[in-house]
Amino acid sequence: MTTIPSHARVVIIGGGIVGCSVAYHLGKRGCPDVLLLERKRLTSGTTWHAAGLVGQLRATHNLTRLAQYTTQLYEGLERETGQATGFRQVGSIAVAASAARLEELKRGASMARCFGLEVEILSPAAAKERWPLLSVDGVLGAVFLPKDGRTNPIDTTQALARGARHAGVRIVEDIKVTAIRIERGRVRGVATAAGEVRADAVVNCAGMWAREVGDWANVTVPLHPAEHFYIVTQPIPGLTPSLPILRDADACSYFKEDAGKLLVGWFEPRAKPWGERGIPEDFAFEQLPADLSHIEPLFASAMRRVPALESAGVQLFFNGPESFTPDDRYLLGEAPEVRGLYVAAGFNSIGIQSAGGAGKVLADWIIDGHPPFDLWDVDIRRCAPFQRNKRYLRDRTVESLGLLYAMHWPFRQAETSRGVRRSALHDRLAAAGACFGEVAGFERANWFATSGMQARYQYSYGRQNWFEQSAGEHRAVRERVGLFDQSSFAKLVLRGRDASAVLGRVCANDVDVPIGRIVYTQWLNERGGIEADLTVTREAEDSYLIVTSCANQTRDFSWLSRSIPDDAHAVAVDVSSAYAVLGLMGPRSRELLATLTDDDLSNAAFPFATSRIIDLGYARVRASRITYVGELGYELYVPTEFAQSVYDVIVGAGGSFGLQLAGYHALNSLRMERAYRHWGHDITADDTPLEAGLEFAVAWDKRGGFVGREALLRQRQAGVRRRLVAVALEREDRMLYHNEPIWRDRELVGAISSGMFGHTVGAPLGLGYVAGGGALVSEEWIAAGRYEVEVAAERIPARVSVRPFYDASRARVKG
Ligand SMILES: Cc1cc2nc3c(=O)[nH]c(=O)nc-3n(C[C@H](O)[C@H](O)[C@H](O)COP(=O)(O)OP(=O)(O)OC[C@H]3O[C@@H](n4cnc5c(N)ncnc54)[C@H](O)[C@@H]3O)c2cc1C
């Protein structure tokens, strides 16, 4: 029987391409005592049967950096290890068969350029020249990425494994891990059929088994396998090994030359979940039964794009399982539930092209204790605990696979597994015409349909069907008063006699304030990067209420809990479900609220950034004078069982003040005009308060200091080299969403981090960072430039400012 060591610094569970890449990169960084355990043979799970496409353009800059790195790694791996990989940089062509798809591709091309990828926009004829078997019937245009490639997944994994072994990693096959050992919230090792292994860190790279492996440690790893299909034809004359990959997303199809044959694969709109009752114990190098009736319509649409398929004959019908996550993004990083337990799984059919980058950054994360740059899009801390629910996952998987090739419409909402988390006001909002969108399973009113209109999205890249409704909500807030249901906020309480000292170290702003004060603050890492952006209310001498966004519930709670020293008298509790939140916002909010309470709401008695418990209707609620929309307003924290009665009295009294229900799209357009930052887009762990223009929220000299202060001081001394600015397009008919390149005096200087139409300013607005090629960025330099923003390959003049376009003096907020 194989013997394994009784101790390792790191144990990796799973020898697919991802586990081998993590092993390779740990080895390269010189990490000693790394042990990879594979239950069967390397690649025997999903990796062995992948099609091997290696694309580079992803939805965000950092994910693109990872995919780009993968290409560079694979390019040199054979030279380095002596193991052939089959990697070839043949390029890829994506064709568009509709105007909307062409806009999507062109927006992608603009983004690619901004990320430093080579890209060409092709006419249909030019696409055919590069791909002679292509029928350009109905094709409006195409995009060519010359550095995309393809590889042999088995050989590439073996090359990574060989590189890892050279670097001292021990790889053992035919040993199944059967349990994860945890002591006091920290991983301590694994159990296997061949004995126990003590370890300082464990990495779950178990592919479609990773959810079950996570369950052993009570860690949420939301993924579910689905069947994934391709065929390989008989040889087709004229195919050459240098033929680019071809994608026709409108036909759900991709095409790859494969030893003189064509491999044709699909991302169909309704996928087939697999493995609901568990994965068979012996599953290794296995195929699932071919389902011809399932692929028949897909095959037909592929034939329309490549007519040579009609006569080619099929040599292989392939069906293999791959795991998908609820949001089609993979799961990476240290699990919030258990220290030292890392996850790299759920690769949504891009595991081959992602493995290089994901393995590298995870190795850095394990060794350095933090990721090398912001990886929020794939960070496992974005997951909510309920997302482990199998039924939820199975039903979402039906849709997730196809969404990879579906139109990536702005504001697109999932159709499956909906209605999971609902506010206490949900039914009232639905009856009032709410169209809901989902964040971490929470249904939130995004906009309200007016009479005669269906509360359903009609998507486009331009003004969508809710544009005017949302504009009406926006104006009501600016001119009168609007009511938002913000119950999805995460609410955390930190309590104990050391609460003030503990939170003081975590927050960059000063939270040792009088009871009833609200503090807007960031939580920083040691490098000065922004880990969280939230408000802190001192409820009592020894108690704080911390309010953050729904998407950051797990992450911020984990950051806070891990920041409490063992000997401190402070405990963090997540009280999110205990309170509904109503945002009453607008110049008439005070007048309206005054009709429902006897408490003194005057500016003198209840100024901005303070919070008090008041009577409201028959209830007692916490009213916090704070805003994310740039107007006088109150966030009302209402114990959940009082939410409906409080809502009813507000709405009942609201008519004479012109009260209007408003949704998250209006919230977004309102905050954009005031240039309020959004964590995850405008501010991330890669951005500091100085770069983000948030120095006003840094209490440099407070007692006890704060995490990140030294790094921030160094940056203040040296000056910043990039700066967040507000951007307004000079044309009203183009929308800004995300990642549109910003040009200054014809030089690329940055990209839009978030965008929305500003109905009061009357222009498409965005926020984004600008940088001057490593030079210091001053306000004068910013003001001196002439700017354009590139939207779908077209440059549009824009205004740029370090101050908000609306109420820069904050007079309305303080009024
Ligand atoms: C038909 C098809 C085509 C695809 N085409 C592409 C493509 O063109 N490009 C692309 O980028 N991606 C593609 N993919 C996706 C890609 O194959 C996967 O994302 C990738 O292989 C996942 O790798 P992994 O290492 O996470 O998982 P796996 O390869 O499944 O590896 C996990 C390993 O963990 C082992 N394991 C599980 N439990 C234990 C345990 N308890 N103890 C020890 N070991 C354990 C398993 O045996 C397995 O070997 C495709 C997938 C399919 C199905």
Side-chain angles (χ1 to χ4, degrees):
M1 189 169 179
T2 317
T3 55
I4 52 172
S6 60
H7 180 269
R9 159 92 177 81
V10 184
V11 171
I12 299 166
I13 308 172
I17 193 160
V18 174
C20 289
S21 176
V22 174
Y24 171 91
H25 286 97
L26 283 170
K28 284 273 152 186
R29 284 274 318 253
C31 182
D33 298 329
V34 178
L35 174 67
L36 185 152
L37 298 174
E38 163 56 47
R39 59 184 261 287
K40 300 287 182 191
R41 312 294 298 173
L42 296 187
T43 76
S44 63
T46 295
T47 296
W48 70 279
H49 55 58
L53 275 49
V54 184
Q56 299 180 89
L57 181 59
R58 308 302 313 152
T60 67
H61 190 187
N62 285 350
L63 294 188
T64 303
R65 276 166 79 181
L66 296 193
Q68 254 176 313
Y69 168 78
T70 301
T71 328
Q72 288 156 10
L73 174 72
Y74 292 175
E75 205 267 319
L77 204 54
E78 183 168 335
R79 269 195 311 279
E80 180 198 325
T81 63
Q83 158 75 52
T85 59
F87 180 72
R88 232 188 132 108
Q89 225 153 13
V90 290
S92 80
I93 297 174
V95 296
S98 68
R101 182 70 73 180
L102 190 58
E103 163 130 18
E104 176 168 300
L105 290 184
K106 283 185 174 172
R107 280 179 177 262
S110 292
M111 198 167 86
R113 201 166 296 136
C114 176
F115 298 162
L117 294 184
E118 279 180 49
V119 59
E120 272 177 54
I121 295 174
L122 302 180
S123 66
K128 188 165 174 68
E129 210 168 293
R130 289 186 186 275
W131 224 93
L133 294 180
L134 172 73
S135 157
V136 288
D137 201 19
V139 170
L140 302 178
V143 162
F144 178 52
L145 285 148
K147 291 287 162 63
D148 278 3
R150 58 182 224 210
T151 201
N152 179 319
I154 296 180
D155 293 346
T156 308
T157 307
Q158 292 294 354
L160 287 166
R162 186 183 283 192
R165 286 194 188 99
H166 282 164
V169 173
R170 174 115 189 255
I171 295 179
V172 186
E173 295 174 286
D174 292 316
I175 295 281
K176 182 179 172 180
V177 174
T178 52
I180 293 176
R181 301 291 184 223
I182 297 163
E183 289 164 21
R184 302 188 63 220
R186 179 163 248 304
V187 82
R188 289 294 172 210
V190 298
T192 78
E196 298 275 328
V197 186
R198 298 282 287 177
D200 304 332
V202 172
V203 195
N204 176 357
C205 297
M208 62 187 169
W209 292 265
R211 187 185 74 217
E212 184 192 325
V213 171
D215 277 347
W216 299 340
N218 202 19
V219 164
T220 300
V221 185
L223 55 81
H224 196 291
E227 301 184 22
H228 195 21
F229 301 88
Y230 60 71
I231 55 128
V232 181
T233 66
Q234 302 285 359
I236 297 178
L239 290 180
T240 59
S242 58
L243 195 69
I245 307 294
L246 175 69
R247 290 189 185 84
D248 179 359
D250 297 309
C252 309
S253 310
Y254 64 85
F255 307 82
K256 183 192 100 165
E257 188 277 339
D258 195 59
K261 306 160 209 159
L262 258 192
L263 183 154
V264 187
W266 294 285
F267 288 92
E268 65 276 22
R270 280 192 69 78
K272 292 178 70 185
W274 180 79
E276 285 101 322
R277 273 173 241 98
I279 301 162
E281 182 60 28
D282 288 340
F283 195 90
F285 294 117
E286 273 181 54
Q287 298 189 32
L288 306 176
D291 182 342
L292 296 185
S293 63
H294 187 76
I295 61 171
E296 206 175 80
L298 303 165
F299 194 70
S301 58
M303 255 178 339
R304 281 193 288 279
R305 191 52 65 222
V306 181
L309 287 173
E310 280 172 40
S311 53
V314 175
Q315 190 178 73
L316 172 72
F317 286 97
F318 189 85
N319 180 9
E322 159 70 332
S323 47
F324 291 84
T325 62
D327 59 5
D328 270 335
R329 287 181 269 134
Y330 51 88
L331 306 166
L332 201 71
E334 191 180 21
E337 299 92 340
V338 181
R339 277 180 192 258
L341 180 54
Y342 295 82
V343 179
F347 278 87
N348 301 292
S349 115
I350 54 160
I352 307 303
Q353 71 177 38
S354 307
K360 179 174 192 323
V361 292
L362 195 66
D364 291 344
W365 202 327
I366 294 166
I367 292 168
D368 302 330
H370 59 82
F373 45 79
D374 172 56
L375 293 167
W376 178 235
D377 289 293
V378 291
D379 193 320
I380 190 155
R381 288 174 294 174
R382 74 186 184 280
C383 301
F386 88 88
Q387 289 179 307
R388 216 192 299 178
N389 179 296
K390 285 190 204 146
R391 195 167 293 197
Y392 163 84
L393 288 169
R394 183 198 60 206
D395 291 353
R396 176 58 62 83
T397 300
V398 171
E399 184 183 14
S400 322
L401 181 143
L403 283 179
L404 288 155
Y405 272 31
M407 286 294 301
H408 298 102
W409 296 119
F411 311 108
R412 182 168 189 144
Q413 300 295 323
E415 305 270 331
T416 51
S417 294
R418 291 294 300 271
V420 185
R421 298 169 78 187
R422 293 177 174 178
S423 124
L425 304 171
H426 182 92
D427 291 354
R428 279 169 169 69
L429 301 185
C435 182
F436 294 94
E438 175 220 353
V439 171
F442 216 117
E443 298 290 339
R444 311 189 312 176
N446 276 349
W447 54 278
F448 289 83
T450 43
S451 67
M453 181 189 192
Q454 270 205 333
R456 277 195 74 79
Y457 279 94
Q458 287 165 16
Y459 298 117
S460 75
Y461 276 102
R463 295 180 177 194
Q464 298 187 359
N465 62 323
W466 47 268
F467 186 87
E468 287 306 332
Q469 282 63 30
S470 192
E473 296 161 25
H474 178 116
R475 284 190 205 104
V477 175
R478 287 272 180 261
E479 292 157 19
R480 307 187 307 274
V481 54
L483 185 64
F484 298 89
D485 179 8
Q486 295 173 279
S487 303
S488 66
F489 273 160
K491 303 122 205 155
L492 318 175
V493 166
L494 186 72
R495 186 165 292 174
R497 56 172 185 275
D498 296 328
S500 181
V502 169
L503 203 55
R505 284 288 301 160
V506 177
C507 296
N509 212 340
D510 191 0
V511 293
D512 191 7
V513 290
I515 294 166
R517 275 280 285 282
I518 306 170
V519 180
Y520 169 59
T521 187
Q522 283 75 46
W523 292 354
L524 308 183
N525 56 40
E526 295 286 354
R527 301 163 308 286
I530 301 173
E531 294 284 344
D533 175 77
L534 37 77
T535 60
V536 169
T537 302
R538 191 163 203 172
E539 294 183 308
E541 196 58 36
D542 63 351
S543 182
Y544 289 89
L545 173 68
I546 298 154
V547 178
T548 186
S549 76
C550 171
N552 291 19
Q553 182 169 2
T554 306
R555 178 193 176 102
D556 292 355
F557 185 67
S558 160
W559 187 269
L560 180 64
S561 305
R562 291 181 178 196
S563 302
I564 303 173
D566 283 346
D567 57 353
H569 187 269
V571 58
V573 186
D574 185 333
V575 298
S576 303
S577 301
Y579 297 96
V581 183
L582 284 164
L584 191 65
M585 298 286 154
R588 302 198 71 188
S589 56
R590 183 190 282 130
E591 283 172 76
L592 167 52
L593 201 56
T595 65
L596 304 173
T597 183
D598 297 330
D599 287 74
D600 184 356
L601 302 179
S602 68
N603 216 5
F606 197 166
F608 178 69
T610 62
S611 175
R612 303 162 54 190
I613 307 284
I614 62 167
D615 285 355
L616 208 174
Y618 297 140
R620 299 272 296 158
V621 310
R622 170 170 290 287
S624 293
R625 212 183 130 189
I626 194 84
T627 177
Y628 194 50
V629 299
E631 300 293 340
L632 170 71
Y634 306 84
E635 284 175 0
L636 304 168
Y637 292 81
V638 188
T640 304
E641 69 273 33
F642 292 87
Q644 296 181 359
S645 73
V646 167
Y647 173 90
D648 289 345
V649 293
I650 294 174
V651 171
S656 39
F657 299 91
L659 177 74
Q660 182 150 345
L661 294 177
Y664 270 80
H665 289 337
L667 195 79
N668 200 14
S669 60
L670 289 157
R671 70 99 189 169
M672 188 65 75
E673 291 184 329
R674 269 290 300 140
Y676 289 138
R677 281 72 167 147
H678 180 258
W679 194 91
H681 284 110
D682 312 313
I683 42 180
T684 68
D686 288 348
D687 313 306
T688 71
L690 304 184
E691 294 162 345
L694 295 173
E695 191 175 346
F696 68 88
V698 177
W700 293 100
D701 300 321
K702 68 173 173 171
R703 203 151 43 99
F706 58 90
V707 175
R709 179 173 179 273
E710 284 62 37
L712 220 50
L713 273 174
R714 282 195 296 277
Q715 191 180 49
R716 186 167 70 167
Q717 250 161 15
V720 295
R721 291 177 156 70
R722 53 199 287 277
R723 178 70 163 82
L724 192 79
V725 293
V727 178
L729 275 197
E730 299 281 12
R731 253 173 64 185
E732 277 187 36
D733 60 333
R734 297 300 251 164
M735 298 289 146
L736 294 179
Y737 297 113
H738 191 43
N739 282 329
E740 293 86 353
I742 304 173
W743 297 82
R744 178 188 183 275
D745 297 340
R746 309 218 153 258
E747 284 202 21
L748 185 63
V749 290
I752 297 291
S753 50
S754 66
M756 197 71 174
F757 194 89
H759 300 284
T760 307
V761 174
L765 302 180
L767 293 172
Y769 287 87
V770 291
L776 294 181
V777 167
S778 64
E779 291 197 13
E780 295 71 39
W781 180 84
I782 290 168
R786 286 193 50 226
Y787 292 89
E788 292 166 309
V789 177
E790 184 176 324
V791 181
E794 183 189 4
R795 290 200 208 161
I796 298 166
R799 285 182 288 146
V800 160
S801 163
V802 289
R803 267 164 277 286
F805 292 115
Y806 178 76
D807 192 29
S809 68
R810 299 170 73 226
R812 294 184 69 87
V813 171
K814 299 203 158 179

